Amino acid sequence: MLDAEYWIKKIADADRLIMTQNNIMKFNQKIVEKCGSVYDLKSYRDSLTYDELLSLIKEYKLPEKEMYFRNGEVVKRDFYYHINGNLNITEIKEVNPVQYGITRRKTSLRSFPTEIAVYSKKGDIEFDRFQETSCQALEPVLVLHESKDKKWNFVQIYNYRGWVKACDIAIAKNKEEVFDYVDTDDFIMVIGNHVKTQFNPYDRNVSEIQFDMGTKIPLEKNMIYSVGNQSIYGNYVVKLPSKDDKGNLVFKDGLISIKEDVHWGYVPYTRANILNQAFKLIGDRYGWGDSFNGRDCSSFVMYVYKTFGFKLPRNADEQEKCPGIVYKFSDGLSLDERIKVFDKIKPGAALYMPGHAMMYVGMDGGVPYIIHDFTGYGAKNGDKYDFVPVNEVMVTSSLLPTSNGMPFIDRFSSAIQFEM
């Protein structure tokens, strides 16, 4: 059951193309129209007013209840005063021009301009409440504001807002410079868990840079024979964003081995390929907000689908608003009725319940099975259920009990096949 082929051979039309790339792009536009958290960055406004920018920054509220640092110490109010000051609110203008940039590497996107983690439970090191998500490498970003210490930028990516390290962003002269780069048709897509550029002893800025599943990497179009004193043969020559001495965007060449798990262009959108992509992440460590160099439940779904060209919302509740072929699990359905719904659902469909996203892989022994990046389940102990931590991507029965003993399937709210 941990092999994609086990499930793919059950699908009659596993290799049928579900949608062309052109239709996926149209589908992405429908996502923008329907989901308020997803933006077409090309059509974003050129500037924001004082009130508009302040409102976006203030969407994140500092905690009012007692919180803890990683070492277990209670967070004091002076820590929050420092964060408030670093928001640099006094420097917001009446009109604030939007700048365009590209992420040089994968970077954390935070609620506030600080790397310091804050937890809601003493002793917890899993759920940093200031960690929102990650922004993958080579993504276009809109830079909306700068922190007081100038170490952080408040940015908008296509499906999220927050603070990222300024050193991880190269600022462009204009939007055309950014989108001429990211919208190229000549690119490789990372389809493995992680890949890296070749070691380059002459330029650390392009040496052993890690790219994760779903990263689109533009190829160098000019004829190049060597990079970093290494022959290009046996490698893709990739074009990577960097910074010049003044911090402005420049492009440099790097090498990625042709043996790495990448695909020239987007992966063909078939049910077999959806499952193949998902199963490449079996056993991968769960990371809240993409921490621990991992993913959480909704980003697992998002990055798998990104390899086909989809631009899904980041969080599970927003993904559940997406267009597509939608199946609802009404309240009051019996277990048998819930299982019966899966007669219509195709493998590879995304599944949702409050606070969790999963993927349907198929039926086995009359039971729907799922693959998901999850924290744990409930094991019966007398008249109660004990929480058993998992914290990884794994295939499970949909009848697996949650922490309160209710099977996952009893909490399903909808299934979505992302197709028109």
Side-chain angles (χ1 to χ4, degrees):
M1 287 189 176
L2 302 187
D3 188 334
E5 192 58 35
Y6 178 85
W7 303 98
I8 291 171
K9 67 183 181 183
K10 296 171 180 277
I11 306 171
D13 60 349
D15 294 317
R16 181 182 66 83
L17 192 66
I18 302 170
M19 281 202 295
T20 64
Q21 191 52 228
N22 186 49
N23 283 334
I24 290 174
M25 296 302 105
K26 292 177 181 177
F27 190 87
N28 286 337
Q29 187 55 45
K30 290 183 180 294
I31 292 175
V32 172
E33 294 166 1
K34 191 171 182 181
C35 303
S37 64
V38 180
Y39 290 81
D40 177 0
L41 296 184
K42 281 186 185 177
S43 61
Y44 201 88
R45 294 170 53 188
D46 292 333
S47 63
L48 297 174
T49 67
Y50 176 91
D51 289 338
E52 288 170 336
L53 180 53
L54 180 63
S55 176
L56 296 180
I57 294 171
K58 290 293 188 179
E59 283 178 344
Y60 294 111
K61 308 295 184 185
L62 286 165
E64 296 183 356
K65 70 171 201 170
E66 191 165 82
M67 304 291 283
Y68 304 89
F69 292 121
R70 188 180 180 92
N71 62 5
E73 291 183 5
V74 175
V75 178
K76 300 295 193 337
R77 298 312 303 179
D78 59 352
F79 174 69
Y80 295 145
Y81 293 147
H82 170 74
I83 287 177
N84 254 330
N86 206 28
L87 295 177
N88 207 20
I89 300 301
T90 57
E91 291 302 311
I92 299 178
K93 312 297 183 186
E94 286 302 316
V95 178
N96 302 274
V98 172
Q99 292 182 290
Y100 290 80
I102 304 173
T103 47
R104 301 167 58 200
R105 59 180 69 88
K106 178 182 177 181
T107 186
S108 290
L109 191 148
R110 310 278 290 166
S111 317
F112 302 100
T114 178
E115 285 189 274
I116 299 174
V118 168
Y119 305 90
S120 57
K121 294 181 181 179
K122 189 173 184 178
D124 177 29
I125 62 170
E126 296 277 353
F127 297 95
D128 174 5
R129 297 302 173 178
F130 286 178
Q131 177 70 18
E132 293 293 329
T133 185
S134 67
C135 179
Q136 286 190 313
L138 318 187
E139 284 283 332
V141 299
L142 307 182
V143 179
L144 309 181
H145 188 54
E146 185 179 54
S147 63
K148 187 175 182 179
D149 63 9
K150 302 188 182 302
K151 294 181 179 179
W152 297 83
N153 290 141
F154 187 72
V155 305
Q156 173 74 60
I157 61 177
Y158 84 89
N159 63 358
Y160 224 95
R161 276 187 296 273
W163 295 90
V164 302
K165 289 181 181 178
C167 63
D168 291 336
I169 299 174
I171 304 294
K173 296 189 292 289
N174 51 54
K175 72 161 65 174
E176 289 75 22
E177 189 177 23
V178 169
F179 291 107
D180 285 349
Y181 172 73
V182 300
D183 288 343
T184 179
D185 292 327
D186 200 9
F187 66 92
I188 53 174
M189 171 60 63
V190 178
I191 62 173
N193 192 350
H194 309 289
V195 307
K196 285 185 178 182
T197 57
Q198 299 281 23
F199 187 88
N200 185 330
Y202 295 92
D203 192 344
R204 297 295 295 173
N205 290 312
V206 294
S207 178
E208 295 191 307
I209 304 298
Q210 177 178 297
F211 302 110
D212 301 336
M213 180 181 287
T215 304
K216 177 182 177 180
I217 310 177
L219 294 167
E220 175 59 71
K221 295 180 180 179
N222 296 318
M223 185 62 71
I224 303 291
Y225 296 99
S226 69
V227 174
N229 208 30
Q230 177 183 346
S231 166
I232 68 165
Y233 295 106
N235 292 277
Y236 294 103
V237 183
V238 292
K239 186 176 179 180
L240 304 176
S242 189
K243 289 186 175 187
D244 63 16
D245 294 339
K246 296 181 179 179
N248 297 316
L249 173 65
V250 293
F251 294 103
K252 296 183 175 182
D253 294 324
L255 297 177
I256 292 179
S257 170
I258 60 172
K259 295 299 184 181
E260 291 278 16
D261 200 1
V262 298
H263 186 272
W264 201 313
Y266 291 113
V267 178
Y269 186 41
T270 67
R271 305 201 195 283
N273 284 339
I274 299 172
L275 296 191
N276 276 324
Q277 287 304 117
F279 276 73
K280 288 179 181 181
L281 302 179
I282 285 283
D284 197 49
R285 217 297 180 180
Y286 176 92
W288 167 262
D290 295 354
S291 54
F292 306 146
N293 201 26
R295 304 163 187 84
D296 57 28
C297 64
S298 55
S299 65
F300 164 73
V301 173
M302 178 181 68
Y303 290 133
V304 166
Y305 273 92
K306 204 173 179 187
T307 62
F308 307 107
F310 286 92
K311 293 189 173 183
L312 299 182
R314 171 58 177 83
N315 292 333
D317 59 338
E318 288 292 322
Q319 286 180 13
E320 198 171 7
K321 298 175 186 176
C322 279
I325 301 174
V326 180
Y327 301 92
K328 294 289 186 182
F329 293 86
S330 305
D331 292 339
L333 288 180
S334 68
L335 176 60
D336 287 342
E337 289 170 331
R338 284 177 170 267
I339 292 175
K340 186 69 176 173
V341 175
F342 283 91
D343 288 348
K344 302 176 182 177
I345 301 172
K346 299 287 189 180
L351 287 165
Y352 297 97
M353 68 187 218
H356 193 44
M358 303 144 284
M359 186 182 292
Y360 174 55
V361 297
M363 298 289 290
D364 197 87
V367 175
Y369 275 74
I370 56 179
I371 183 170
H372 51 147
D373 202 344
F374 71 121
T375 58
Y377 63 96
K380 192 169 179 59
N381 182 7
D383 59 354
K384 63 183 182 68
Y385 281 81
D386 294 334
F387 180 73
V388 179
V390 174
N391 289 316
E392 67 178 13
V393 177
M394 188 47 58
V395 176
T396 72
S397 163
S398 62
L399 303 183
L400 184 73
T402 58
S403 57
N404 65 3
M406 182 183 291
F408 274 84
I409 192 172
D410 278 350
R411 299 193 63 203
F412 289 173
S413 51
S414 67
I416 304 179
Q417 291 167 204
F418 299 118
E419 55 189 279
M420 296 188 292

